[in-house]
Amino acid sequence: MGNLFFGVLMFLTTYSIAQITCPILPKPVTFVPASDQNPPFRSEKLVFNRLSLPAKLGHVMPEIAKLYGINEVFWKDSTDNRPSPEIAFQPLTGAYPESYAISVSSTGIRISFTSEASCFHALQSLFQLMTFNKPANSYEAPSCFVKDFPTFSWRGLHLDVARHFFTVEEVKKYLDLMSMYKFNVFHWHLTDDQGWRIEIKQYPKLTSIGAWRDSTVENHYATFPRTWNTQHYGGYYTQDQIKEIVAYAAQRCITVVPEIEMPGHARAALAAYPQYSCTGKQQSVPGLWGVFDDVFCTKDSSLIFLQHILDEVLTLFPSTYIHVGGDEVPKTRWKTCPNCQTKKRILGLKDEAELQSYFIGQMDQYLKKRGRNLMGWDEILEGGLSPGAAVMSWRGTEGGIAAAKEGHFVVMSPGSHCYFDHYQSKSTSEPLAIGGYTPLEKVYDFHPIPKELSAQEAPFILGGQANLWTEYIPTFDQLTYMTYPRAIALSQALWGGSKAPYEAFEEVLKMHHIPRLIGADLNAYVSLSFMKPSIKFNRIPNGISLGFEFKDSSESVVVSSNDGYNGIWLDRRKTLDVRRPSKTSQDHQLTFFSPCCADSLTLNAHQGLGAMITYITPPNERYNSGDLTLVDGQFGARPWRGNQWVGFDTNSVTIRIDLGKKTKIRGLELGFLQEPSSWIHLPEEVAILTDRNQQNTFKISAERTSIKYRQKTQYILLTFKGLEAIPAGMPGEGNTPWIFADEFVVK
Ligand code: ACM
Ligand code: ZN
């Protein structure tokens, strides 16, 4: 596994038993610290008694210990009379399935367990309890009792290796990290439009052609004009490498569930074997993200091709479930394909949704005959789902709810909480991501069982999973940045146990886990907004003030700026006031430094800063980030992150700005978002009314529109008119477009 976890900082801790909070994440069901009188477990060496330890774990234990910076563990042999207190194991029968218990005292540690997996989980918990006391040169653990078991049986992390490829060593590191937080399913997204990553011996072109692309789009795919990186890019796993990874995962009590995408997201396979598409047309492996019209044809030869592929997949992956994708399948080609239309007619199918249902049904039967179960994204419900197939609900929880009500097993993976390709902070220094906003708190708040399900239906929810789509995650460093610590928050939601309030979770994370991960050179997300104070904006006369919300009284930040705020030291009592400028506006570039990290902010000081805003048209509740957003000196973040903007779900919007007193203005600069893929369009025009009571109308044709408007006025009434309906050929055609506004600069 390389040296990633060597050199972990072992923090010096002297236990004061009375103050002990449980350092284990996910938090165990029960943690009872012993009373003050009980000394902790202390030992120079960690000596394990092999008796009753499952053999598999004996092999992997030294590797697990290394994840926690413990480079050597010792085995007690029968002739050993060393005085070290030992760590012993005891199988339990009749206890709750997958449960374990740890009892720690100064005389030794006893781990009881019901299964290999539960013993493995106990070891992870044990190592999380352990600290190294450097001056005393001993390992220490507080005297305590832990009793624990998981709530959900599917605790998954997914990895898309098609959009960007990750090496065998990187996948193993991903599995190591998963194992520390008791994840037990690795959903390996092996094929997609942009690359086929699994060797199939019967179809060698899948990897000789399908694993490689000649270009990759740069920046966000919705940013125009597009530019391209023309590096030949790709890679794949040989069957031997796949066996190695599956075995490595199994040693860590993780099941690998492969995903072979069909009938959509198939462009890489069709670049290699175009005869299995509807048109037969030769096309290359695309380097653009998105959804493509060319999918597998429903003709028999295509189904047989895929079933041959599954034959080889089944020899490599012993998992009960085989994931066949099924998401985002345009029916465009099927509608004009003679083969697909003939099939539809012969089978008496109503429409192409039923054709997709037939396609998935064929795979389901094929897998069932071979003792496996099919799983697919929630689109496989459309047109009817065959009994026994399981659903992974990603477009919200609705698909999962419907499936559970029909008696299908479900894994919940809604975009709202489980898409770790979304942004995790509002900082403008975040690396480019696909969009969305899924901060740590939100992940922690995830509940896999929706309240719509009855007690009888709830057991169909196997658990949950986070997805790591890698369009915008080109490196392993960035992968860990997007995954951690959000995966730790998810592990708590899936393990269940007794969920602590978010603040308590964050404290344990900050004290025990982030230092360990960073000490192991892992590029985890640790930002100002997460570790240290978050910035709060307030309205003050003629401006705004920035305050910091500190988590404890010893924290502070140093602010430096390009224009005079250098070295301002802020603690919880102080705020930084930014006033409206008297003449020209100038941007303030502010940089914040706190003990953990730095962050930066650009503030545009203009004459409307902190003005009173009245939304005469109310914003949509989900996208109402407050009445200061439009005049807080910050432009809405781009690419859109689902926040920092005020969103209206109507095409006529009226907003009033009250400057507080008659003010000489030179004009306005109005900011809007243009994001057609999310149905967000610019308004077409704005009518401006001021104290003079004379209305003027201006065209809006760009995301930032400057309007010359010399007046002396206190009030500015703005009425925006947008398109009646989204034009044909655009996403959401025929619907009312959204209007998203941010920062109305008053010059
Ligand atoms: C998905 O995110 N298309 C399953
Ligand atoms: Zn066809």
Side-chain angles (χ1 to χ4, degrees), residues 458-476:
F460 285 104
I461 307 295
L462 295 174
Q465 173 178 298
N467 298 329
L468 274 300
W469 300 105
T470 58
E471 288 95 332
Y472 302 96
I473 304 181
T475 63
F476 188 71

Side-chain angles (χ1 to χ4, degrees), residues 261 265 327-328 377 379 394 419 467 469:
E261 268 269 18
H265 289 291
D327 60 319
E328 301 179 319
W377 300 108
E379 285 94 329
W394 72 281
Y419 269 46
N467 298 329
W469 300 105

Side-chain angles (χ1 to χ4, degrees), residues 322-383:
I322 302 292
H323 202 301
V324 299
D327 60 319
E328 301 179 319
V329 186
K331 309 299 188 297
T332 324
R333 295 287 179 261
W334 291 358
K335 282 184 182 160
T336 56
C337 168
N339 287 317
C340 289
Q341 290 306 309
T342 302
K343 188 139 238 176
K344 194 173 92 177
R345 202 171 52 250
I346 291 170
L347 296 170
L349 303 176
K350 186 167 90 247
D351 55 19
E352 282 69 26
E354 289 193 357
L355 203 50
Q356 155 130 347
S357 168
Y358 155 80
F359 189 111
I360 298 293
Q362 291 296 296
M363 298 302 154
D364 183 40
Q365 284 172 28
Y366 194 82
L367 290 171
K368 212 170 276 156
K369 279 204 196 104
R370 287 152 185 80
R372 310 295 184 97
N373 290 333
L374 176 143
M375 182 175 278
W377 300 108
D378 55 67
E379 285 94 329
I380 66 171
L381 282 163
E382 292 160 14

Side-chain angles (χ1 to χ4, degrees), residues 278 297-298 337 340:
C278 287
C297 181
T298 61
C337 168
C340 289

Side-chain angles (χ1 to χ4, degrees), residues 564-583:
Y565 294 125
N566 281 322
I568 291 187
W569 193 275
L570 293 177
D571 60 23
R572 61 173 61 249
R573 292 174 303 276
K574 277 199 209 146
T575 56
L576 179 66
D577 295 343
V578 182
R579 307 274 169 187
R580 295 179 198 167
S582 49
K583 289 197 204 92

Side-chain angles (χ1 to χ4, degrees), residues 24 26 28-29 48 52-54 56-58 60-61 64 68 87-103 109-127 146-153 155 179-184 249-254 495:
I24 302 167
V29 176
F48 289 83
S52 300
L53 176 69
K56 173 173 116 179
L57 300 186
V60 78
M61 164 114 78
I64 305 170
Y68 297 90
I87 301 161
F89 297 88
Q90 178 183 32
L92 278 180
T93 47
Y96 198 82
E98 300 288 298
S99 64
Y100 71 85
I102 307 174
S103 156
I109 294 176
R110 180 169 295 268
I111 290 177
S112 356
F113 60 92
T114 53
S115 64
E116 211 170 65
S118 68
C119 189
F120 182 80
H121 297 143
L123 287 170
Q124 300 287 356
S125 292
L126 177 69
F127 289 127
V146 176
K147 188 172 157 219
D148 204 11
F149 53 85
T151 301
F152 293 101
S153 62
R155 304 182 301 278
S179 77
M180 292 170 79
Y181 293 100
K182 303 187 175 79
F183 285 97
N184 66 348
Q251 274 191 323
R252 285 151 184 79
C253 300
I254 295 171
W495 187 262

Side-chain angles (χ1 to χ4, degrees), residues 479-644:
L479 178 65
T480 58
Y481 178 85
M482 298 304 275
T483 312
Y484 289 90
R486 286 189 287 194
I488 305 177
L490 181 70
S491 79
Q492 188 67 64
L494 299 177
W495 187 262
S498 44
K499 221 189 221 183
Y502 174 76
E503 291 69 26
F505 160 76
E506 200 187 270
E507 195 57 26
V508 174
L509 189 64
K510 184 165 117 178
M511 293 301 294
H512 300 276
H513 294 258
I514 295 290
R516 182 187 297 123
L517 295 176
I518 290 178
D521 270 345
L522 189 92
N523 185 34
Y525 162 78
V526 186
S527 93
L528 193 67
S529 60
F530 155 56
M531 287 295 284
K532 297 287 163 181
S534 52
I535 304 171
K536 297 279 161 211
F537 288 88
N538 279 307
R539 187 172 268 121
I540 55 170
N542 288 321
I544 53 161
S545 80
L546 280 65
F548 291 85
E549 229 168 48
F550 292 96
K551 301 215 161 81
D552 71 60
S553 55
S554 62
E555 288 173 350
S556 59
V557 276
V558 179
V559 182
S560 103
S561 82
N562 59 340
D563 54 359
Y565 294 125
N566 281 322
I568 291 187
W569 193 275
L570 293 177
D571 60 23
R572 61 173 61 249
R573 292 174 303 276
K574 277 199 209 146
T575 56
L576 179 66
D577 295 343
V578 182
R579 307 274 169 187
R580 295 179 198 167
S582 49
K583 289 197 204 92
T584 55
S585 69
Q586 192 200 354
D587 290 355
H588 301 281
Q589 302 285 349
L590 302 178
T591 307
F592 310 106
F593 301 94
S594 88
C596 77
C597 32
D599 206 348
S600 62
L601 189 70
T602 302
L603 266 182
N604 185 300
H606 59 82
Q607 295 211 88
L609 210 61
M612 290 305 302
I613 297 290
T614 307
Y615 294 123
I616 294 166
T617 308
N620 178 284
E621 244 171 64
R622 280 172 63 204
Y623 300 105
N624 183 357
S625 50
D627 67 351
L628 200 54
T629 301
L630 290 182
V631 286
D632 64 1
Q634 286 187 95
F635 294 160
R638 221 168 294 253
W640 179 49
R641 286 141 201 221
N643 63 61
Q644 287 188 328

Side-chain angles (χ1 to χ4, degrees), residues 15 17 34-42 104-108 141-144:
Y15 280 108
I17 299 291
S35 74
D36 279 11
Q37 282 74 46
N38 294 59
F41 168 91
R42 273 203 185 99
V104 181
S105 75
S106 59
T107 57
S143 283
C144 65

